[in-house]
Amino acid sequence: MKKEKIGISFCIGCVIAFGGVVLISFDNQSVEFNFIGDCLAVLAALIWAIYSLLTKKLGEFGINTILLTRRVFFYGLIFILPLSFVFDFSLDQDLLFKPEVYFNFLFLGLGASALCFVTWNFAVKILGAVKTGVYIYAVPVITVITSVLILHEVVTVKILIGLALTLLGVFIAEEHGLRYIVFLYKKN
């Protein structure tokens, strides 16, 4: 997009943050490649980038963020329903109306999906697709913090370094982050 310039700070910050995410993701694990899975992951990232750019463009036309999200969900549902017949999906109504299943559907539908998409679209409208995209790197940081608090997982030195690199990368990717670090370096 013409209005969103990508500078050297952005690129350096993204590389540093990506390195941090790699350290967090592959702590004490061997890296295995799966061609189909890796291609699907890259394709998902590409589609998400296109979605973010289209959201930004539609926001510039003055389309309401909540209405845009509602339309995306509606058309997504329309296009995914035929696949339920292809993959032999069956709906057990007794299971669907159990309180734990019902509340899980409510949480996933309203909280984890609708609310998240609305806030993402709102952020893209205000910050732009490129700047908002950098904050995707914060997801592993939040995941680590949540897993420590709720699941009582142990944090290793590699994960701590990954967290620091991820946060530093996001900070540098912001417009003034690298300038601030250079300023501090010259000051000392």
Side-chain angles (χ1 to χ4, degrees), residues 104-125:
N104 282 337
F105 269 120
L106 276 176
F107 169 74
L108 290 172
L110 297 177
S113 294
L115 183 63
C116 291
F117 271 83
V118 167
T119 54
W120 177 266
N121 293 344
F122 188 69
V124 166
K125 186 176 180 180

Side-chain angles (χ1 to χ4, degrees), residues 4-17 130 134 168-179 181-182:
E4 296 184 57
K5 304 282 186 200
I6 296 176
I8 189 74
S9 292
F10 182 83
C11 294
I12 291 171
C14 282
V15 169
I16 292 171
V130 175
V134 172
L168 177 66
V170 170
F171 178 72
I172 290 173
E174 285 298 310
E175 228 172 277
H176 307 291
L178 190 59
R179 283 189 224 153
I181 290 172
V182 170

Side-chain angles (χ1 to χ4, degrees), residues 43-84:
L43 183 63
L46 180 65
I47 289 171
W48 187 256
I50 292 168
Y51 171 79
S52 296
L53 290 173
L54 289 174
T55 300
K56 174 67 176 167
K57 199 67 169 166
L58 291 171
E60 290 174 358
F61 290 126
I63 297 175
N64 183 304
T65 305
I66 294 173
L67 293 177
L68 175 64
T69 306
R70 189 178 74 189
R71 286 183 182 146
V72 167
F73 271 67
F74 174 74
Y75 288 117
L77 188 62
I78 295 249
F79 284 108
I80 205 167
L81 280 177
L83 291 177
S84 64

Side-chain angles (χ1 to χ4, degrees), residues 84-85 87-93 95:
S84 64
F85 299 110
F87 292 108
D88 194 32
F89 174 76
S90 63
L91 183 62
D92 184 0
Q93 292 179 354
L95 183 64

